[in-house]
Amino acid sequence: MNTGTQPADMAVCRYRKWKVFSLFLTGLFVLTCYIFSTGVSSIQTQMLRMADYQQSFSRHLTSQTNQDLIRYKMQADGRHHHTDINRTHCQPLDSTYTTYAIVNKQVRYPLGSILHLELTTRNRTGSPRTCGGDFFQAKLFSPKLNASTAGKIVDHQDGTYSISFLLGWTGRAFLSVELVHPREAIDGLKKVRETPNTGYLFNGTFFDHNAILDEQKCYSSKEEGFDNREDYCSYTKPEANISFWCRRPKKKDVSCEQLAFVISDLANKERYDEANGKLLTEDEWLYFRKGQYFQVGIAAEDGITQVIVAQKGKKETFLTQIFNRP
């Protein structure tokens, strides 16, 4: 009897071992897929953040350029005295009391409509400010869809800002408003930019649709060696009163046109002072402190930080219902 049952027992044993091995391979495959999808999602999120920063920086640069042109015209007409007085008496904003709120509140927003926000800056006593000139970045995004869009920001020069978003997808979308630089930091950047031979001030990143190609130092004023055009990329626009250069990428297949975004190097005080001399006072350096005046999130006044977008005139689809779940 024992001899007859031995082959059957061995077959059962081999079957169980194969089943355990198959489950192990399946688990390993699922884990590999999860790690790969997480990595791809992280790369996509970083690329979207870079694109959003580039759009916001370009819009702010254009806005500041237009404001500078208007200010120059007012100075030529002898009407700049009031502007200078208002700028002197404007108190710095406090990010703790600065908030934003949705203007056109709805339960659901039609696809393709516009979402309007109002941002109100306040000082350290909680009182509204009466001046503008701050650099904010606003974003509407969906982590599940890996989608995002930068908001259009209008500075009313009275301490308030209007922000608008085009609602371009269905489902749940989240709001993010960030103070990049207060007006005092921007004044410091302008002072450094207008001072000749200040060394490097920015780090430029050359980027395509897939990856970072190169990183080079950028300058707002000429230094020794700038006469050699082969070593530098010029982004100077005299008609807009903008002077800007970056060192040419070292890789031969990377062109000057692939400069994607520029980040200020003022966050590193010691390194900047060593390269440029002490152009900014200790009080001016405070406005480049990260988490307080530099790259700090702005809270929603009523706590509403998300909206739901649905197809206009149609019932929600199955995917929309899934994305709308908490």
Side-chain angles (χ1 to χ4, degrees), residues 38 56 74 90 191:
T38 303
S56 298
M74 293 178 64
C90 182
K191 182 173 72 172

Side-chain angles (χ1 to χ4, degrees), residues 233-249:
C233 297
S234 176
Y235 305 97
T236 299
K237 295 183 179 180
E239 67 277 7
N241 193 32
I242 296 176
S243 300
F244 203 77
W245 295 266
C246 290
R247 292 187 181 274
R248 188 177 296 274

Side-chain angles (χ1 to χ4, degrees), residues 34-44:
Y34 173 77
I35 295 175
F36 177 78
S37 61
T38 303
V40 172
S41 177
S42 176
I43 294 174
Q44 291 176 342

